[in-house]
Amino acid sequence: MSNTHPTAESVYLDKAEPSQGPKHGFFERLYTGTGGFRIVNRRKFFYALSAAMLLISLLSIAVRGFTLGIDFEGGSRIQIPAADNVSTQQVEDVYAETLGHGPVTVQKVGSGEAATIQVRSETLDATQTEQVQTALFEAFQPKDSNGEVSRNAISIAEISETWGGQITQKALIALAVFVALTMIYIAIRFERDMSIAAIVSLFFNLIVTAGIYSLVGFEVTPAAVIGLLTILGYVLYDNVVVFDKVEENTRGVLHLNKRTYAEQANLAANQTLMRSISTTVIGILPIIGMLVIAVWLLGVGTLKDLALVQLVGMIVGAYSSIFLAVPVLVSIKERWGPVAAHTKKVLAKRAGGGVSPRVPVAAGATRGPRPTDASAPRPGARPSGKRHKRRN
């Protein structure tokens, strides 16, 4: 049997020989984390996917912009008790008939006797405010807290553009400070290349989450900004876990010629993949529960805004920490420095007949026949030639 060796394109655990035991199924590879998923090797695909997500997000932000809440943009907020004879569509129709144009948003907030219909509109002057309040009172005859029909049951609040501008400025400052502090922590916590990869993952998560908000038209509120800061912290935590495993697997790899840095990083990504999926699923379950409670039971807009950004951000963050941060780290390592030279050395050794990387064998499986040279005796053959006499 001739001796065969992997080529330079072969990668650790990408393909197992048939003689090395049966192939493991998808869920078994996912659970065991033995490196069966080609994450690092397929980084061009994940780069293309990530670039497409970034492009769509940036285009949406540039073209559609954001649906800013009243706290950022300013305007008028009208609230009327949500009695049995009052619906959001009816309130919107009365508003439009009175002023000749529709409101920005109309939604039901709260539940039970405390439920109200909340109308958000552009800033109304005194005359328009009087007209809307009169029209809504005549149409629905709302009752106040004492159960009496009263015009005062309809409340109208004005939020100036100056106040909205101040809130926007404070939110942007808080976001910038948080990102800056996060980048400083990453630079201290990790080595240079890991810091670059983690920062790329952080900005990817920030842009894509904002792009989804713009694309779908979710309203941006102070609660949404708070949620965004929260999920950026989650992304940082996820990156720390993944890079810790990469650091553990690649420790001392440059002193060996059996495996490359990319192969060990790919193994680390596989080993943390199941954990990342589990923590993400466990994390989004209470968020989905919060959405159900906020939308269908309580109608609390603040909870809905907070839950939406966390749901989107956690899913995007789980993707970026595994399928973007690790490939970016490997790309940087293999382009400059000692890792690049080591990778070339290992691949050249394999191509030239060096020792191939070891592949774990499943329990109960048999290994293939070991390669033999031409001078080695055939198994089962009789010994030939004279025996050497033992010298005294």
Side-chain angles (χ1 to χ4, degrees):
M1 181 182 293
S2 61
N3 188 15
T4 58
H5 299 282
T7 62
E9 289 78 13
S10 64
V11 180
Y12 176 57
L13 285 174
D14 279 348
K15 294 182 179 179
E17 295 296 331
S19 61
Q20 291 175 326
K23 293 183 178 180
H24 301 293
F26 174 84
F27 291 104
E28 188 175 358
R29 287 183 292 157
L30 182 64
Y31 179 77
T32 56
T34 52
F37 294 102
R38 302 173 62 183
I39 296 173
V40 173
N41 290 9
R42 301 188 64 191
R43 57 183 178 268
K44 290 184 179 179
F45 167 77
F46 292 116
Y47 288 161
L49 179 60
S50 302
M53 294 170 67
L54 281 175
L55 181 61
I56 293 173
S57 299
L58 291 173
L59 285 176
S60 179
I61 293 173
V63 176
R64 291 174 57 90
F66 296 103
T67 303
L68 297 177
I70 191 172
D71 296 287
F72 292 109
E73 204 169 32
S76 299
R77 179 186 290 137
I78 305 169
Q79 287 184 316
I80 179 173
D84 295 336
N85 63 331
V86 183
S87 67
T88 56
Q89 186 60 49
Q90 290 173 328
V91 172
E92 185 174 354
D93 292 340
V94 171
Y95 181 99
E97 291 174 4
T98 304
L99 299 181
H101 60 83
V104 176
T105 59
V106 180
Q107 61 180 349
K108 186 177 180 179
V109 178
S111 61
E113 296 181 356
T116 60
I117 303 296
Q118 187 177 101
V119 181
R120 180 200 151 198
S121 68
E122 299 175 354
T123 303
L124 304 177
D125 56 30
T127 303
Q128 290 174 322
T129 300
E130 180 71 20
Q131 290 175 347
V132 171
Q133 190 174 27
T134 301
L136 292 175
F137 175 74
E138 293 176 352
F140 303 111
Q141 297 293 302
K143 296 180 181 180
D144 58 17
S145 58
N146 297 324
E148 299 178 357
V149 176
S150 173
R151 183 187 177 91
N152 293 329
I154 303 173
S155 63
I156 301 179
E158 303 292 338
I159 299 178
S160 66
E161 294 182 0
T162 303
W163 171 259
Q166 292 176 352
I167 293 294
T168 303
Q169 183 180 12
K170 290 179 180 180
L172 292 176
I173 291 175
L175 182 61
V177 169
F178 182 88
V179 172
L181 291 176
T182 302
M183 291 172 64
I184 292 173
Y185 172 79
I186 290 173
I188 296 174
R189 174 63 180 80
F190 297 122
E191 61 178 47
R192 181 199 63 189
D193 297 337
M194 286 186 178
S195 300
I196 295 173
I199 291 172
V200 169
S201 173
L202 187 72
F203 276 98
F204 171 83
N205 195 79
L206 177 64
I207 295 173
V208 172
T209 302
I212 293 175
Y213 253 68
S214 172
L215 189 64
V216 180
F218 293 153
E219 191 176 78
V220 180
T221 64
V225 176
I226 294 172
L228 183 62
L229 297 179
T230 303
I231 59 100
L232 289 180
Y234 172 83
V235 174
L236 175 61
Y237 165 76
D238 227 16
N239 284 333
V240 168
V241 172
V242 175
F243 284 158
D244 270 346
K245 195 63 180 178
V246 172
E247 196 172 35
E248 176 185 338
N249 285 6
T250 58
R251 189 176 296 118
V253 70
L254 299 182
H255 302 291
L256 303 173
N257 294 327
K258 294 181 179 180
R259 301 167 188 167
T260 66
Y261 186 95
E263 292 165 357
Q264 291 298 90
N266 185 75
L267 179 60
N270 275 263
Q271 290 172 334
T272 54
L273 181 58
M274 185 62 190
R275 180 194 175 282
S276 182
I277 293 175
S278 299
T279 54
T280 301
V281 171
I282 293 173
I284 66 176
L285 283 178
I287 294 176
I288 294 175
M290 190 188 302
L291 277 173
V292 172
I293 295 173
V295 176
W296 283 290
L297 297 181
L298 300 179
V300 181
T302 303
L303 287 178
K304 181 185 69 176
D305 300 335
L306 182 63
L308 278 173
V309 69
Q310 288 185 334
L311 179 64
V312 173
M314 287 185 71
I315 295 174
V316 176
Y319 165 83
S320 65
S321 62
I322 296 290
F323 299 99
L324 182 62
V326 176
V328 167
L329 171 64
V330 173
S331 294
I332 296 174
K333 289 287 188 182
E334 288 187 343
R335 193 170 185 85
W336 298 285
V339 171
H342 176 263
T343 300
K344 292 179 180 178
K345 180 181 178 181
V346 173
L347 296 180
K349 184 176 181 180
R350 292 179 192 172
V355 179
S356 60
R358 296 180 180 177
V359 181
V361 179
T366 58
R367 293 184 180 271
R370 294 184 178 180
T372 58
D373 55 35
S375 61
R378 180 171 53 85
R382 287 172 170 259
S384 60
K386 296 181 180 180
R387 296 185 179 179
H388 295 286
K389 291 184 179 180
R390 186 175 179 182
R391 296 181 181 180
N392 294 327

